[in-house]
Amino acid sequence: MTAGLRIDGADFKAVDITIDSCFEDVPVAAAVGIPLRIKRLKRTASGPLAVAVRLMSDPESGFAPPSWQTDCPVVEVARADGVAFTKVQWMVLDDFITQVVHAECEEVGYCKSATRGRFAAFLDARGIERFPAGGAEPAPSFVGERVRIHGLTSTTGRSLNGRHAHCVGDDGDGGRLHLRVGSDMFKIKRENVTLEETGPDSAVDEPCVPATSAEAGSLVRIGGESSQPSLNGCTAQVVSLKDNGRVEVRQAHAARSYTLDAACVAALPADAARRHEHAEFWPLAQSGGVAVSPVSGEWPSDWSQEKAFLKRQGWKAPEILGGVTQKGYRKPDFMMYYDAKDTASPVNPFAEAIAALLPGYERGKVPAPKGGKYRGSCILVFSPMNTSNTKHDTRFTLDELREVVQFHTTDGAKAMYTAHDNPMHRVFGGNMSSVFSSFFGGQ
C-alpha cells in the first residue's frame, strides 16, 4: 500500500492505494522524473473536469488524450516507488503544468521544458523543497531488437557507424550489448546504439557510406554527439567537409550550422524497400538534383499536431499547400509543407516548381513564403481527396516520392495542371472531351 490521493472534482482525500495494472503514467510527472501513476475509477466526479485531466497533459503538446476529455472521472494517484504523494505536491505539479507546460504551448505551439532540470529550477525559484527522487529506472532491454550504431571513434568502430544490427544479448543491466552485423559479432556500449523502427520491409544491414566521402548537400544522420545531444538521431544536410576531418552540417530550417566530428555523422543508408506516406525533399545545390529522406522523428497520427511536430524539429512557421497531383492522376493526392519564415536556407527549386503549377486559389489559402521563395527542405505528404482515384492506404518508396517531386519540373506536369485548371475538371476529373461527349450523347 502507498499513501496517495483520491481526486473527486476539486476534492482531495488522502488514501492508501495498491497500484495494479489499471494504473498508467502521469506524463509530465514521468518527464520530470517522478514515478507517478494514475487510475480512473468507474464513477463520475462531482466537480470540475480540468483538475484530474490536467494531470494527463502531454509534456510536449499540452493536450490530454481524447479519452480523458470526454468524461469527468474520479481518479487515484500514487507513486510507484512507494514514496507518499501529498496534496501539496499535487498543487506544485499542477502549477508546473499550467505555468510552464501549458504557457509554453500557448506561446509557441509546443513545450520543451518538461525536464528534470527545468522542474528543479521551478521549485528552487519558489523556495519549494524538491520532491523525493524516484528510484533508478532499469536500463531498457534491446535484446531481440533492430538497432542502429553511432558515435564509435575507433578504426573498426567508425566503419560501423550508421549500420543496422540485431541485438542478440547483453552483459547485464547497463552493460554492453551483443550485436550481430551481417555475420560478425560486436560488443558495443548502450550509448552508442539507438533503437530502430522495424517492419516487414526493413533492411537489416544497410551499408554505411562514410560521411567524409559524401558531397556537400547530401543527407546524413547524426549520432553520438555529446556537446549537442539534441541533434542525435536527426537528419541534416552537409554544408562542407573540413580539412581536419570534421563535417559542417545544417538541419532543415535551422538558423545556424554545426561542425561535428565525422564519427558522429553517417550518410543515410539505402532505403529502397520501405514505403512511406510522407518524405522530406532537399535541394542539392552542387548537382541541381533533389535528395529525398524519411522525416526525422515520429510523424503524428493526428494531422492537427503536424505543425507543432515540425516546430519541434526547428521549423519556424510550417504551412501546407494543397492541390499537388502525381503524374497521370485526375485529382490531387498530395500536399506540401514549407517553412513560410525561412529566409536563410537555400532556395528549393523543386518546391518552387510545385507551387508555380498550383492554381492561384490554392496558393491563396496560405501565407506566401517570406521573401517570395520556398527555401530549405519541404515535406510531401500523401493526402488524397475522397474523390481521388488513389487508394487511401497507398504507401510509396522514396524513389517513387522522388519521381513525384521531379515530375513537377517537366513540360508534362505543366500540361497536366493546365488541363486540370478549369471548373469542369474540378467537378468531373478525367478527360473533358469524354465527359462532354457522354453528357451530350456524342460519339
Side-chain angles (χ1 to χ4, degrees):
M1 302 285 281
T2 301
L5 296 174
R6 181 174 294 143
I7 305 176
D8 182 350
D11 295 327
F12 296 78
K13 182 179 180 181
V15 294
D16 289 332
I17 295 172
T18 299
I19 295 180
D20 57 29
S21 60
C22 295
F23 279 77
E24 55 187 299
D25 288 341
V26 175
V28 172
V32 301
I34 304 169
L36 192 63
R37 306 287 190 266
I38 189 168
K39 176 182 179 179
R40 303 163 65 113
L41 303 184
K42 293 183 178 179
R43 63 182 185 275
T44 302
S46 55
L49 166 70
V51 174
V53 172
R54 271 200 304 272
L55 281 173
M56 292 306 293
S57 298
D58 181 86
E60 292 189 355
S61 71
F63 292 106
S67 59
W68 280 82
Q69 300 180 33
T70 55
D71 60 7
C72 188
V74 176
V75 299
E76 289 184 346
V77 290
R79 289 178 58 136
D81 57 1
V83 176
F85 184 73
T86 66
K87 180 179 177 180
V88 171
Q89 291 175 342
W90 168 82
M91 293 172 65
V92 173
L93 181 61
D94 190 63
D95 283 347
F96 180 77
I97 291 172
T98 55
Q99 296 175 25
V100 177
V101 177
H102 288 179
E104 191 169 327
C105 288
E106 289 179 4
E107 182 178 355
V108 299
Y110 61 93
C111 175
K112 287 188 174 181
S113 297
T115 63
R116 291 173 186 253
R118 182 67 176 85
F119 185 61
F122 177 84
L123 299 180
D124 293 346
R126 290 158 179 77
I128 301 171
E129 182 180 356
R130 294 191 181 185
F131 283 30
E137 294 290 330
S141 174
F142 289 99
V143 177
E145 300 287 357
R146 176 175 178 261
V147 298
R148 186 184 295 276
I149 302 168
H150 56 74
L152 300 179
T153 57
S154 68
T155 301
T156 301
R158 288 165 68 102
S159 68
L160 295 174
N161 287 334
R163 298 191 71 175
H164 285 132
H166 270 140
C167 181
V168 297
D170 58 39
D171 287 342
D173 191 19
R176 291 177 180 259
L177 301 176
H178 304 177
L179 304 182
R180 187 180 72 243
V181 182
S183 59
D184 299 321
M185 292 292 300
F186 300 90
K187 286 189 176 183
I188 294 176
K189 293 180 180 179
R190 290 172 184 268
E191 57 261 36
N192 296 116
V193 165
T194 301
L195 188 66
E196 282 287 300
E197 179 184 356
T198 57
D201 296 320
S202 297
V204 173
D205 183 27
E206 298 158 337
C208 173
V209 179
T212 51
S213 68
E215 67 168 310
S218 60
L219 304 184
V220 295
R221 181 177 285 119
I222 303 169
E225 171 58 33
S226 57
S227 62
Q228 299 286 341
S230 63
L231 297 176
N232 290 330
C234 293
T235 300
Q237 194 167 30
V238 174
V239 177
S240 65
L241 306 175
K242 304 299 183 182
D243 292 338
N244 60 1
R246 295 174 70 81
V247 182
E248 183 185 4
V249 300
R250 185 191 296 272
Q251 285 180 278
H253 311 292
R256 54 159 294 188
S257 62
Y258 298 90
T259 301
L260 308 178
D261 191 294
C264 299
V265 176
L268 286 184
D271 193 18
R274 293 184 61 191
R275 307 187 77 83
H276 312 262
E277 60 179 340
H278 35 65
E280 201 160 4
F281 61 97
W282 313 58
L284 296 176
Q286 287 189 343
S287 66
V290 60
V292 179
S293 70
V295 179
S296 297
E298 184 177 352
W299 189 265
S301 57
D302 181 354
W303 67 268
S304 65
Q305 298 299 310
E306 290 175 357
K307 288 187 177 181
F309 166 79
L310 291 175
K311 286 182 178 180
R312 293 195 296 272
Q313 301 284 328
W315 291 48
K316 301 173 186 65
E319 297 291 346
I320 189 165
L321 273 172
V324 182
T325 311
Q326 63 176 304
K327 181 180 180 180
Y329 282 69
R330 61 184 177 84
K331 289 288 186 178
D333 50 1
F334 283 93
M335 304 182 82
M336 183 185 77
Y337 270 110
Y338 64 96
D339 192 335
K341 291 187 178 179
D342 185 352
T343 58
S345 298
V347 172
N348 190 326
F350 296 90
E352 289 272 301
I354 290 172
L357 292 174
L358 298 178
Y361 66 84
E362 288 287 1
R363 295 194 301 273
K365 294 177 182 178
V366 290
K370 189 174 181 179
K373 296 291 185 181
Y374 295 85
R375 294 180 175 271
S377 70
C378 296
I379 295 175
L380 199 63
V381 181
F382 178 60
S383 181
M385 298 174 61
N386 289 332
T387 55
S388 171
N389 54 334
T390 311
K391 293 182 179 179
H392 285 242
D393 60 353
T394 301
R395 299 293 182 270
F396 304 85
T397 66
L398 292 182
D399 283 343
E400 289 170 338
L401 291 170
R402 182 182 293 105
E403 289 176 3
V404 174
V405 173
Q406 292 174 327
F407 167 68
H408 286 78
T409 65
T410 67
D411 291 338
K414 295 178 182 178
M416 185 185 79
Y417 276 86
T418 299
H420 288 189
D421 193 20
N422 65 72
M424 294 301 292
H425 176 87
R426 295 172 203 160
V427 174
F428 296 105
N431 183 291
M432 286 297 96
S433 61
S434 63
V435 170
F436 282 113
S437 177
S438 60
F439 185 81
F440 291 109
Q443 299 298 318

